[in-house]
Amino acid sequence: MEDLRLSPLKLGSFKSSLSGKSTPRGSPTSRRVHSGRTPRRDGKGSGGAVQWFRSNRLLYWLLLITLWTYLGFYVQSRWAHDDDNKVEFLRFGGKLREDVLHVEQNKRLDSVANENSHAVVDTTNIVHIGVNKRMHVTLAKKEDDTSQRSLSSRRRTRKASRSSRTRIRSKQKVRKVMETKDLDEQDQELPNTNVTYGKIFGPFGSLEDRVLEWSPQKRSGTCDRKSDFKRLVWSRRFVLLFHELSMTGAPISMMELASELLSCGATVYAVVLSRRGGLLQELTRRRIKVVEDKGELSFKTAMKADLVIAGSAVCASWIDQYMDHHPAGGSQIAWWVMENRREYFDRAKPVLDRVKLLIFLSEVQSKQWLTWCEEDHIKLRSQPVIVPLSVNDELAFVAGIYSSLNTPTLTQEMMKEKRQKLRESVRTEFGLTDKDMLVMSLSSINPGKGQLLLLESVALALEREQEQEQVAKSNQQPKIKNLNGIRKEKISLSVKHRLRGSLRKMKITTPATDNSSVLSATGKRKLLFSGNVTQKQDLKLLLGSVGSKSNKVAYVKEMLSFLSNNGNLSNSVLWTPATTRVASLYSAADVYVTNSQGIGETFGRVTIEAMAYGLPVLGTDAGGTKEIVEHNVTGLLHPVGRAGNKVLAQNLLFLLRNPSTRLQLGSQGREIVEKMYMKQHMYKRFVDVLVKCMRP
């Protein structure tokens, strides 16, 4: 204490400040103190201040209590106002730890039961869920001294946690069994092997990875850092609303939008109304956070977002509930409607005038919905925006079109070579040769997609092809002057007459085209029925998607019944399951058919994907298909309904007998995609949506 300068206070006050520490008698310091002289300070006296601070325990504890109180308020505020940390805290391995909730409930009950025994409540956050599923959080302070009874309560808590975990595991096993039963019920309609409809092939994900020499981690595009889209979404929060997780157009498009937002620096949350389908694993792989419920927690997450994007007309019920919970929430909702049928409009019309903006996929869809709005006297808040879909980076990369996945070691030329190897490998799996023309149609199996009508058209085309073969054989045989020869000649003449009559009935009525069309209707008929054609090819049909949750079982049974009544047709039909790995299928195909009925396809994502792979498209002359496919330039169109079966059959025969024309139509379709339907084109249009809906 030699460095300590005495203040002009009384000796008693100075001793009290030492908090009980006395100076030994006889020491120099003791003599100075009792002499009443003020000691001389050596240096600046910083060491003395530290000693004085340490000697004041009261000040030390006050400081610790202040820091502890501040930390408690900070943690409590973060817990109450940040749902992200709350969810992450209750997660383990990507799943919500339900056993944690049960453990904390048991801890709370034990602490209440032991109030009389001075048990101390643990510092762990106690979470309890009410009837309305709201999460209320209570933080309790932990004291230093714990009693023996609190130790026994913790032991009982451990036993309770073990039992709760056992119950949770048993419930999860029951859910898995139920899900397996549902899948079995769906898939039992199309077993792997059956004499009626052949065999199911695929998926070919592992084959793609082996031939293309890439891994799933590399199958993610990167954001264009110089684009306006990136500038607008950087550091913003988005909530994307999925109506289901099936492997169909709308959920896949929303998933790719979420991936693009993440790559551009945004924070993305997915709210899923129905987990039916197989995209949940893919969302996890892409690191897209899925909100655990579609009620209160999803509403709170949406309220904090800069923009909510709903991806289907089916989302109307959630939007209605959200705006009841948060009346001003409609100003932050952009509704990307991907359906074009009246029943979807009727479902959505109660909230159409309450959202900020409607987004459509095509001009035909926009005009149709605006017409329905006028009929029902619905006034929208703003003029709708049209944002067509695009070919994603992965498919463009395999197709040999430039994308963000291209690197100096994986150029477009190299990918074209790898795609050819992929084509040969997949066709070998199918059992096809170079003489076979593979016609493909990928979509959910239901009446609106027209797969049964496609089967009827293929059956008609094969029947006409067989008749032409019989005519050709009969013309090559020499005339025999015996009785058997006369009978054969009569039979061949009767076949010719039937063929001529059928060809008159199948006469095409194509829409008018200008002089710049690649093929005229007259030239097409001349090529189709002329003898100067290439070598004979066999027609094969590939149908998907087996196992899709959007398939209609009754319609599938009707198709199988048709196949069973046409035994030879089943030899020409192949099946493939629902999958997101479709690059191998497009690579193996020669022609793509979109046979949507009614008012046609809303847009046709698969149509532009097939065109990107150089496939000619045979589509119905309705809906978004006629906006994408130019007749006689990038494909051939036919009427909807059974009236279009004969035209579709003749178009199939024409492409079957003219491979060079297939290549020509496919090449021009690929050019259209590169100019209009790539990723950069879609997100350039999406900028308009962001500007109109998001706060600056």
Side-chain angles (χ1 to χ4, degrees):
M1 302 296 290
E2 293 179 356
D3 297 332
L4 183 64
R5 177 184 294 272
L6 297 178
S7 60
L9 299 174
K10 292 184 180 180
L11 182 61
S13 64
F14 173 73
K15 288 183 178 181
S16 64
S17 65
L18 294 178
S19 302
K21 290 185 179 181
S22 61
T23 305
R25 293 183 179 181
S27 64
T29 306
S30 177
R31 287 193 297 269
R32 291 177 186 174
V33 171
H34 290 288
S35 63
R37 297 177 181 177
T38 302
R40 183 176 298 172
R41 181 172 59 180
D42 297 334
K44 296 183 179 180
S46 59
V50 173
Q51 292 294 333
W52 180 83
F53 178 77
R54 290 181 179 177
S55 63
N56 286 270
R57 291 186 177 181
L58 180 61
L59 181 62
Y60 179 75
W61 283 109
L62 287 175
L63 181 60
L64 286 180
I65 292 172
T66 304
L67 292 175
W68 182 259
T69 306
Y70 173 78
L71 181 61
F73 279 113
Y74 175 76
V75 172
Q76 186 177 12
S77 62
R78 290 295 300 272
W79 179 268
H81 299 288
D82 196 346
D83 291 335
D84 305 337
N85 295 336
K86 188 185 303 182
V87 174
E88 292 297 329
F89 182 81
L90 297 176
R91 282 181 181 272
F92 181 77
K95 296 181 180 179
L96 189 64
R97 296 180 58 190
E98 297 180 4
D99 55 321
V100 175
L101 303 180
H102 292 284
V103 171
E104 301 309 325
Q105 288 177 354
N106 293 331
K107 286 185 179 181
R108 185 174 182 273
L109 293 175
D110 291 336
S111 63
V112 173
N114 296 326
E115 283 181 353
N116 297 330
S117 60
H118 303 284
V120 180
V121 181
D122 189 56
T123 53
T124 310
N125 298 327
I126 300 171
V127 184
H128 57 91
I129 301 178
V131 178
N132 58 357
K133 297 183 180 180
R134 293 184 179 179
M135 303 179 67
H136 303 282
V137 181
T138 305
L139 299 178
K141 186 187 298 183
K142 180 179 180 181
E143 298 181 2
D144 293 332
D145 50 341
T146 59
S147 63
Q148 186 66 25
R149 294 185 181 181
S150 65
L151 180 60
S152 62
S153 67
R154 284 198 297 270
R155 290 176 180 173
R156 289 194 300 271
T157 301
R158 291 172 185 172
K159 293 180 181 179
S161 65
R162 293 193 193 102
S163 61
S164 64
R165 289 173 186 171
T166 304
R167 290 193 299 269
I168 292 170
R169 287 169 185 162
S170 62
K171 290 180 181 179
Q172 290 177 349
K173 288 181 180 179
V174 172
R175 289 173 187 165
K176 289 182 180 178
V177 171
M178 295 299 294
E179 291 176 358
T180 305
K181 289 182 179 179
D182 294 339
L183 291 175
D184 293 340
E185 291 177 358
Q186 179 68 21
D187 294 340
Q188 68 183 357
E189 303 296 337
L190 295 174
N192 287 338
T193 304
N194 188 286
V195 295
T196 304
Y197 40 75
K199 187 178 180 182
I200 298 176
F201 297 89
F204 299 100
S206 58
L207 181 62
E208 285 184 17
D209 294 338
R210 185 172 67 253
V211 175
L212 300 177
E213 298 178 350
W214 66 352
S215 61
Q217 287 74 18
K218 296 180 180 178
R219 295 200 318 270
S220 58
T222 56
C223 177
D224 183 4
R225 303 295 178 183
K226 299 180 180 179
S227 64
D228 293 334
F229 181 81
K230 182 261 179 185
R231 178 179 56 83
L232 290 172
V233 305
W234 176 264
S235 72
R236 296 297 189 101
R237 284 172 76 105
F238 294 87
V239 170
L240 270 58
L241 194 58
F242 292 69
H243 74 289
E244 63 181 18
L245 294 179
S246 62
M247 297 183 187
T248 53
I252 292 178
S253 300
M254 294 296 291
M255 178 182 67
E256 292 174 354
L257 174 60
S259 298
E260 186 70 14
L261 289 170
L262 284 175
S263 66
C264 290
T267 303
V268 180
Y269 296 90
V271 175
V272 180
L273 303 186
S274 172
R275 304 207 173 191
R276 181 181 66 172
L279 282 183
L280 185 59
Q281 183 178 0
E282 185 66 16
L283 290 176
T284 304
R285 186 187 73 81
R286 295 173 181 245
R287 299 180 180 178
I288 300 172
K289 299 178 182 178
V290 180
V291 180
E292 293 299 330
D293 74 345
K294 54 185 179 181
E296 293 290 334
L297 185 57
S298 67
F299 297 155
K300 291 180 181 179
T301 307
M303 289 172 62
K304 297 179 182 179
D306 294 291
L307 183 63
V308 178
I309 303 176
S312 171
V314 184
C315 300
S317 59
W318 185 92
I319 295 174
D320 191 17
Q321 295 174 14
Y322 173 64
M323 287 191 290
D324 289 341
H325 184 274
H326 181 48
S331 299
Q332 60 177 150
I333 297 179
W335 200 348
W336 203 359
V337 180
M338 301 190 188
E339 296 85 6
N340 197 25
R341 296 204 298 270
R342 178 71 194 198
E343 56 266 29
Y344 288 104
F345 172 81
D346 292 337
R347 181 182 297 187
K349 66 182 181 182
V351 289
L352 284 177
D353 57 344
R354 300 177 65 186
V355 299
K356 179 70 173 180
L357 182 67
L358 292 180
I359 310 172
F360 295 118
L361 300 179
S362 62
E363 291 285 351
V364 174
Q365 181 197 16
S366 178
K367 292 178 181 178
Q368 183 65 72
W369 278 69
L370 290 177
T371 301
W372 288 333
C373 288
E374 291 179 1
E375 293 174 355
D376 288 49
H377 306 288
I378 298 174
K379 186 176 181 181
L380 303 178
R381 294 179 60 175
S382 58
Q383 186 68 20
V385 175
I386 298 176
V387 180
L389 299 178
S390 65
V391 178
N392 62 37
D393 277 339
E394 179 182 339
L395 290 177
F397 177 59
V398 181
I401 301 175
Y402 178 78
S403 70
S404 60
L405 295 176
N406 287 110
T407 62
T409 57
L410 291 173
T411 61
Q412 295 174 252
E413 291 72 17
M414 293 179 61
M415 290 310 303
K416 290 180 181 179
E417 296 176 0
K418 291 180 180 293
R419 182 164 67 94
Q420 182 61 31
K421 293 180 181 179
L422 181 62
R423 172 183 170 84
E424 296 172 357
S425 300
V426 176
R427 289 177 71 90
T428 301
E429 293 285 336
F430 285 144
L432 304 178
T433 64
D434 294 337
K435 295 182 179 180
D436 297 320
M437 183 183 79
L438 181 60
V439 179
M440 184 172 69
S441 180
L442 299 178
S443 62
S444 55
I445 304 175
N446 57 67
K449 301 298 182 180
Q451 286 92 347
L452 179 58
L453 298 179
L454 175 57
L455 286 177
E456 295 176 358
S457 300
V458 171
L460 183 60
L462 293 176
E463 181 182 354
R464 298 295 179 256
E465 182 69 9
Q466 291 176 359
E467 290 181 356
Q468 289 184 8
E469 290 178 2
Q470 293 177 4
V471 172
K473 290 180 180 179
S474 64
N475 291 334
Q476 293 175 358
Q477 293 177 354
K479 295 182 180 181
I480 302 176
K481 295 182 180 181
N482 54 20
L483 183 60
N484 293 331
I486 295 173
R487 289 178 180 176
K488 290 181 180 179
E489 187 174 356
K490 290 181 179 180
I491 293 174
S492 63
L493 288 174
S494 63
V495 171
K496 287 182 180 180
H497 287 301
R498 288 200 304 270
L499 178 60
R500 289 171 184 170
S502 62
L503 294 180
R504 292 192 190 100
K505 293 179 181 179
M506 290 175 60
K507 196 171 184 180
I508 294 181
T509 56
T510 58
T513 56
D514 55 11
N515 296 329
S516 62
S517 299
V518 176
L519 298 172
S520 64
T522 305
K524 183 168 62 174
R525 287 194 292 270
K526 181 177 179 181
L527 285 174
L528 178 58
F529 303 117
S530 64
N532 298 325
V533 294
T534 59
Q535 61 180 349
K536 176 185 174 298
Q537 290 192 325
D538 293 329
L539 176 62
K540 302 291 183 181
L541 176 63
L542 177 64
L543 290 175
S545 304
V546 176
S548 173
K549 298 302 180 181
S550 299
N551 292 349
K552 302 300 181 183
V553 176
Y555 190 71
V556 174
K557 290 182 178 179
E558 190 176 357
M559 292 175 61
L560 297 181
S561 176
F562 179 81
L563 285 173
S564 63
N565 295 329
N566 295 270
N568 295 331
L569 177 61
S570 61
N571 297 328
S572 301
V573 178
L574 309 174
W575 302 83
T576 187
T579 179
T580 57
R581 307 292 297 275
V582 293
S584 54
L585 301 178
Y586 286 125
S587 300
D590 299 295
V591 177
Y592 192 86
V593 176
T594 172
N595 200 36
S596 299
Q597 300 300 306
I599 59 178
E601 194 73 35
T602 305
F603 175 75
R605 175 192 174 93
V606 291
T607 304
I608 59 175
E609 290 176 350
M611 292 168 63
Y613 279 75
L615 304 181
V617 178
L618 303 181
T620 50
D621 189 14
T625 303
K626 66 180 181 180
E627 289 187 12
I628 302 172
V629 180
E630 187 175 355
H631 184 62
N632 286 337
V633 177
T634 60
L636 302 173
L637 300 177
H638 58 273
V640 298
R642 279 196 161 81
N645 284 1
K646 294 180 179 179
V647 181
L648 177 57
Q650 186 163 341
N651 291 341
L652 288 169
L653 284 176
F654 172 67
L655 296 182
L656 178 66
R657 305 299 296 272
N658 295 275
S660 59
T661 305
R662 293 202 307 257
L663 297 177
Q664 185 178 3
L665 295 174
S667 176
Q668 297 199 26
R670 180 185 173 98
E671 293 179 0
I672 295 295
V673 170
E674 291 181 356
K675 293 179 180 178
M676 298 177 59
Y677 300 112
M678 297 305 297
K679 186 181 75 171
Q680 61 268 21
H681 303 124
M682 170 180 158
Y683 292 113
K684 186 177 181 180
R685 293 197 177 206
F686 221 96
V687 169
D688 191 20
V689 176
L690 300 177
V691 171
K692 290 183 177 180
C693 296
M694 284 201 316
R695 295 183 296 269

